[in-house]
Amino acid sequence: MNQQASKAAKPAKSGVNYFLDGFRLIKQPGLRRFVFIPLSVNLVLFTAVIYFAIGQLEQVFQWINGQLPDYLSWLNFLLWPLAVLTLLVVLSFVFSSVMNWIAAPFNGLLAEKVEQYLTGKDLNTGGTIDLIKDLPRILGREWIKLKYYLPRAILFLILFWVPFIGQTAAPVLWFLFSAWMMAIQYCDYSFDNHKVPFNDMKFALNQTKGSSFSFGAAVTLFSMIPIINFIVMPVAICGATSMWVDKYRDAYRNAHIAPE
């Protein structure tokens, strides 16, 4: 059976399936060390931030204890777990954005190695020196994504303050927007490895909206779970790369413009 016939025989996969593929791919022997680097950076920095934040919380609670009468001291047992859980959730969202910048070179490398694993073909992107030379372009790509994200995020957040219709629709719209941004964030590493421009990457994801949104929705939901969200980044990169190989690679690997 030739390669095209083999591809045609593959059942269609949803974006959720591609995300779940990531859990399988991060365990592959040839990929584990490339997963370990961004995961370790993520874990060390997140632990340091949590340690600092918990220290600040202790000072806040010491002040609160000084203000509360003795008969309300039991509130500590209620407020501490609530405060820590809130801290974990908030920091998870903020920290994931920061980590996308810090880990961007490693994420691109992981996407490259996953593509090699899935296709059996070397991308020939060079070694460590070439990666260092590519840092301005890689970080510039993250800046492009941030410029795309911020004005839209602000607009959707303003909707939360609009009475009735805005407040009803805002949570749904925010979730859909978050799903779209997660698809952009993690699918983009493979596109960028092949020097496909940002607008062309958006065009491609728009052509497969169902897969893009379901993939992004899965990433968004798992990112909301404290502790588990530690591994969401490498899982999402592996899953997005699997989607790139199946859906976009043949059309875009040798083209730098979107098809008409």
Side-chain angles (χ1 to χ4, degrees):
M1 182 181 289
N2 62 33
Q3 189 177 7
Q4 285 204 337
S6 175
K7 280 187 179 181
K10 284 185 179 180
K13 292 168 66 174
S14 70
V16 174
N17 291 135
Y18 283 112
F19 175 72
L20 295 177
D21 271 354
F23 286 98
R24 174 182 60 84
L25 288 167
I26 64 171
K27 297 184 290 186
Q28 300 308 309
L31 300 176
R32 281 197 293 246
R33 60 195 175 106
F34 297 103
V35 171
F36 180 76
I37 296 172
L39 196 59
S40 298
V41 173
N42 196 355
L43 185 60
V44 169
L45 292 178
F46 193 80
T47 301
V49 171
I50 286 291
Y51 178 80
F52 174 79
I54 292 292
Q56 299 303 305
L57 270 182
E58 286 179 346
Q59 294 183 22
V60 170
F61 272 88
Q62 285 177 6
W63 179 83
I64 291 174
N65 287 336
Q67 309 302 312
L68 287 176
D70 291 340
Y71 66 87
L72 289 179
S73 59
W74 59 270
L75 282 175
N76 272 325
F77 296 100
L78 177 64
L79 293 177
W80 253 109
L82 183 62
V84 170
L85 181 60
T86 303
L87 182 68
L88 283 172
V89 172
V90 171
L91 284 180
S92 294
F93 279 107
V94 174
F95 197 75
S96 63
S97 299
V98 176
M99 274 305 303
N100 285 328
W101 282 73
I102 297 173
F106 305 111
N107 292 344
L109 180 61
L110 174 58
E112 175 186 331
K113 297 304 177 183
V114 172
E115 183 174 344
Q116 289 178 5
Y117 173 83
L118 292 173
T119 63
K121 297 177 182 177
D122 194 340
L123 270 64
N124 296 316
T125 55
T128 305
I129 300 299
D130 297 279
L131 178 63
I132 294 172
K133 289 179 180 177
D134 263 354
L135 278 178
R137 179 185 61 79
I138 293 170
L139 295 178
R141 187 75 164 213
E142 293 301 313
W143 172 243
I144 290 172
K145 283 185 272 192
L146 185 63
K147 286 195 298 182
Y148 177 81
Y149 170 79
L150 279 179
R152 292 164 177 81
I154 292 170
L155 178 63
F156 283 118
L157 288 173
I158 290 173
L159 280 178
F160 280 92
W161 297 93
V162 178
F164 306 118
I165 296 176
Q167 292 175 350
T168 303
V172 176
L173 293 174
W174 179 257
F175 179 81
L176 292 174
F177 173 65
S178 298
W180 173 243
M181 283 307 307
M182 287 295 186
I184 284 178
Q185 181 63 52
Y186 291 111
C187 290
D188 186 54
Y189 293 115
S190 293
F191 282 91
D192 189 39
N193 282 343
H194 289 269
K195 310 297 191 295
V196 177
F198 182 74
N199 286 335
D200 297 351
M201 180 272 301
K202 287 192 301 171
F203 175 91
L205 296 187
N206 261 313
Q207 297 304 107
T208 54
K209 284 189 176 73
S211 297
S212 302
F213 273 103
S214 59
F215 174 84
V219 178
T220 302
L221 289 172
F222 275 80
S223 297
M224 294 177 181
I225 307 172
I227 308 304
I228 291 179
N229 56 20
F230 279 131
I231 65 169
V232 165
M233 181 184 290
V235 167
I237 293 165
C238 291
T241 305
S242 178
M243 190 158 67
W244 154 266
V245 170
D246 284 355
K247 292 182 177 293
Y248 313 114
R249 184 175 184 270
D250 287 344
Y252 282 90
R253 61 179 170 166
N254 296 317
H256 288 185
I257 59 172
E260 295 297 325

